[in-house]
Amino acid sequence: DTLWDLAVAEVEKRENGEGDGEGAEVSEKSVLFMGSKNGGKTTIILRCLDREEIPKPTLALEYTFGRRARRHNTPKDIAHFWELGGGTSLQELIRVPITSSNIRAFAIVLVLDLSKPDELWTTMESLLQVTRSHVNKILTKLGKTNPGVATEIKQRMWNNLQKDHPDYELVDPFPLPLMIIGSKYDIFHEFDSEMRKIISKTLRFVSHYYGASLVFTSKSEAVLLKARILINNLAFGIDKSKSVSLDHSRPLFIPAGLDSLHQIGPPPASDSDIGKLHANTPLELWKKVFEKTFPPKSSCDLQYTKDPAQDLQYAEYEVDVMRAQKNE
């Protein structure tokens, strides 16, 4: 048989449900990690995949994958992990991993550094805006070529919120499954309690508004374990925990759809202050209240300035010698 005949036979065998695991279908999902520069994205990915490597700084867009079997003797499901480095400076690269062919099985993990509240809103807003705009373009195209899939994706956005949820009419779910991780809780925990409350309430509002899960992590294995549960749900479809932790004096853990505007309460500002702020949407009002306490760094401060060619982890003797010669 030629290689082509063997390939055809292999595909037919799979389609007829023969072979490993009694024809169990292999699931493939993709997860894009993005967020604060040096926020701990690589460490979280390595812990999820049980790898003991020392994390290196991420350059541009990096890829790795994990496999996991749902049951004994079944083929392993595959999860593709993409990681966007450089904070908000390389956000155009978001278009590379999210495509019309994988959008049905794609999820976003946004990692925000709790120890830098002055960068938090800018990072979150710019990355989510670019992602949403790209996803909407794909959905518009799909609406013309494959309307069933586009409708299914748009409908799925609402799945985390029960129809009878009191906030059903007040939120605007993100077009892809979204998880927000507040990293470096160990540093954040040392903040003044009022500052912690403002940051926690704001992130709870944003997560609930976008239909996202929210979890705080630190170096502690026990705290990281909760984040792993939610990431495994996005990557491998493993059941997510139904437990909730809303206490602002402890790490938050709120799976999507289990919070409410009533529990979150109003933006943390006096009525007279709120009266002076002009906002068209609830999200805009929360942004203004948050930025009053934590004035944002300008986006140019968040740009990536280091030249990767000078980074020792990418050193290649022959290439570097030729490059030095060319520069001379």
Side-chain angles (χ1 to χ4, degrees):
D1 287 352
T2 65
L3 198 56
W4 187 248
D5 295 330
L6 291 171
V8 170
E10 178 66 27
V11 169
E12 280 172 358
K13 193 166 93 175
R14 283 186 199 171
E15 284 176 350
N16 296 333
E18 298 166 18
D20 294 342
E22 295 146 23
E25 203 176 303
V26 173
S27 145
E28 275 194 56
K29 294 180 185 287
S30 302
V31 184
L32 170 63
F33 285 74
M34 57 188 189
S36 306
K37 195 162 167 249
N38 303 324
K41 299 182 287 296
T42 310
T43 305
I44 293 166
I45 293 172
L46 292 174
R47 295 306 304 123
C48 280
L49 297 173
D50 293 317
R51 291 189 193 155
E52 297 297 329
E53 302 162 31
I54 295 165
K56 293 178 181 169
T58 300
L59 181 78
L61 189 65
E62 295 204 356
Y63 168 83
T64 186
F65 68 94
R67 293 171 180 270
R68 194 152 298 174
R70 270 173 276 188
R71 289 180 303 283
H72 186 58
N73 264 354
T74 58
K76 290 183 174 178
D77 292 335
I78 301 164
H80 305 282
F81 288 95
W82 294 87
E83 183 190 350
L84 179 72
T88 57
S89 59
L90 302 168
Q91 56 194 24
E92 291 307 310
L93 291 176
I94 285 168
R95 294 181 299 201
V96 176
I98 310 175
T99 64
S100 53
S101 57
N102 66 12
I103 195 166
R104 287 173 82 173
F106 211 100
I108 304 289
V109 175
L110 176 66
V111 180
L112 298 171
D113 187 338
L114 294 173
S115 69
K116 297 177 182 165
D118 55 347
E119 296 179 13
L120 195 144
W121 193 284
T122 313
T123 300
M124 173 179 72
E125 186 175 59
S126 62
L127 288 171
L128 290 183
Q129 274 177 357
V130 170
T131 309
R132 185 168 216 153
S133 146
H134 175 60
V135 170
N136 285 341
K137 279 179 192 162
I138 292 176
L139 290 179
T140 305
K141 272 189 189 168
L142 272 178
K144 291 170 187 163
T145 56
N146 199 337
V149 172
T151 309
E152 177 201 323
I153 292 168
K154 285 174 184 168
Q155 192 47 51
R156 191 184 60 191
M157 291 157 50
W158 294 91
N159 287 354
N160 286 323
L161 220 55
Q162 302 300 323
K163 280 268 195 315
D164 58 356
H165 194 291
D167 306 331
Y168 197 79
E169 302 291 326
L170 304 169
V171 295
D172 182 18
F174 201 71
L176 294 179
L178 174 64
M179 173 181 175
I180 296 177
I181 296 180
S183 66
K184 305 195 183 174
Y185 178 79
D186 31 354
I187 302 172
F188 171 75
H189 191 57
E190 303 298 318
F191 283 13
D192 167 71
S193 68
E194 200 50 41
M195 284 168 70
R196 286 206 315 265
K197 192 175 174 187
I198 293 171
I199 296 168
S200 298
K201 278 185 75 162
T202 302
L203 286 178
R204 277 180 67 187
F205 173 79
V206 170
S207 301
H208 184 57
Y209 186 75
Y210 284 133
S213 298
L214 174 66
V215 59
F216 285 0
T217 67
S218 69
K219 289 175 183 167
S220 147
E221 199 58 42
V223 177
L224 247 174
L225 186 65
K226 292 201 163 186
R228 285 179 65 173
I229 291 168
L230 291 178
I231 293 168
N232 281 334
N233 170 255
L234 296 178
F236 298 105
I238 294 166
D239 287 347
K240 60 184 176 191
S241 168
K242 286 280 189 283
S243 72
V244 177
S245 171
L246 303 171
D247 183 356
H248 291 153
S249 62
R250 302 181 55 217
L252 294 180
F253 178 79
I254 313 169
L258 299 185
D259 210 342
S260 71
L261 295 175
H262 175 68
Q263 286 174 296
I264 297 166
S270 68
D271 289 348
S272 62
D273 279 349
I274 287 180
K276 290 173 195 161
L277 297 171
H278 298 289
N280 297 322
T281 63
L283 192 66
E284 209 178 306
L285 180 63
W286 278 82
K287 175 184 177 176
K288 289 191 171 177
V289 170
F290 184 81
E291 291 186 342
K292 198 166 183 290
T293 312
F294 305 106
K297 273 192 176 181
S298 72
S299 54
C300 58
D301 292 341
L302 303 177
Q303 290 302 304
Y304 199 62
T305 49
K306 195 171 150 197
D307 177 5
Q310 306 303 322
D311 194 321
L312 292 177
Q313 70 168 315
Y314 301 108
E316 277 187 57
Y317 180 74
E318 289 86 351
V319 175
D320 296 339
V321 166
M322 295 303 288
R323 190 182 169 115
Q325 203 173 312
K326 177 176 182 287
N327 289 343
E328 259 175 55

